[in-house]
Amino acid sequence: MREALSHDYSSVQAMLDKIEHGHLHLAVFGRVSTGKSSLLNALIGEKRFAASPLHGETRLSEMEAWKEEEAGGVFLIDTPGLDEAGGEQREAMAKEVTGRADLVIFVVDGDITESELAALKTLLAQGRPVLLALNKSDLFTSEQRDRLLTVLRERTDGLLSPDHIIAVAADPRPQVVVEIDEAGNETTTERPVPPDVDALKLRLWDILDAEGKTLAALNASLFAADLSDQVGQRILEARKEIGERLVRTYCVAKGIAVAFNPLPVADLFAAAAIDVGMVVHLSRVYDLPLSRKEAGSLTRVIVAEAAALMGTVWAVHLVSSALKAGTVGLSTVVTAGAQGAIAYYSTYVVGQVAGRYLAQGKSWGDGGPKLVVKQILDSLDRDTVLADAKREIQAKLGLR
Ligand SMILES: Nc1nc2c(ncn2[C@@H]2O[C@H](COP(=O)(O)OP(=O)(O)OP(=O)(O)O)[C@@H](O)[C@H]2O)c(=O)[nH]1
Ligand SMILES: [Mg+2]
């Protein structure tokens, strides 16, 4: 049983390690001046790579040392623009880039040329996923853009799946606003237009998901920004799913620890330590790390609110603790099982409430902790959770 539990713990640990230290390498590739450097900047929301209207901004001389920047566990690789000439060098570059990257974004700013198509084939031949980004889409009308996308999809038919071809605007031209005041004076101002790379990010996430690389991507800064958009929603769902798995692992561990701990006082003690450990881990899943002390205070707040709201269950817990202390033999086993299930339930509640608090960006919302705890308790079917608890604990014990 101990081994089975420690196995669960180490798989949780491995999951967290991947979230924290998992590395992802993402490269851009394409003709000169299509906006490769700009696209990387747009993805991470920071100007890390030099971009300019001059052709060949990212120089060929940098080829040996391609510019690589780390941004929260994701490594972005900027490459010099391809020339129309130089087929051999292009081949070599394409091979090298796929050797280093988990995923390549091929950037074009119009129809794809024969030499670009050749380079794309070389990239694909290395077996790495490739996305084709049609950049500078702000320079086209929506009809032109759609027509270009269709042409690109036709030309890459059989090479790329149509949904791997996406229109973006890494660095759109500012909007020119002309204002005329009462006196008839004209003033023109330029209003910056934000980059449009969300569709690309969504597709990136899908590919990483399909490759089993979402854990490594979870805290990568290109997915961490702006939780209000569609991408953020997907990331949040992934966090919730992982959080749920983590909470269940802790619930079983606590159920068993409590069921087998001979001293009721120690039961409650061990129980609290397990809950706090769970909250610390959960906070890392949400990339909002809490110290043990902070996790301890959070757990205390939740337990206090929950205890106030579900007095009877806690009473049962305590009664059962008392029973266990005062009797020996068979009754210990019987009450221990029930107690374990209740311990599981209480940890489940703590996990759900802490998860909600973290998912809301470390906030209780307007109703405070009381309302969140109440909503969680109302949403949980106690009998189902208790039945899950018994089944999962028994399954674990059966492994002995
Ligand atoms: N209108 C428009 N211009 C863009 C967009 N993205 C990039 N540009 C411009 O295109 C020019 C080239 O951008 P870079 O990011 O330097 O292109 P690059 O592919 O890295 O160029 P090299 O490193 O020289 O191969 C710059 O002037 C950018 O401002 C876009 O979405 N719309
Ligand atoms: Mg560049």
Side-chain angles (χ1 to χ4, degrees), residues 30-39 50-59 78-82 135-139 168-173:
R31 213 164 22 80
V32 257
S33 251
T34 50
K36 300 177 292 299
S37 303
S38 305
L39 183 57
S52 92
L54 298 174
H55 267 230
E57 172 60 31
T58 309
R59 268 167 237 294
D78 194 11
T79 62
L82 296 174
N135 191 30
K136 309 191 185 176
S137 58
D138 59 302
L139 300 181
V168 293
D171 186 17
R173 290 286 82 93

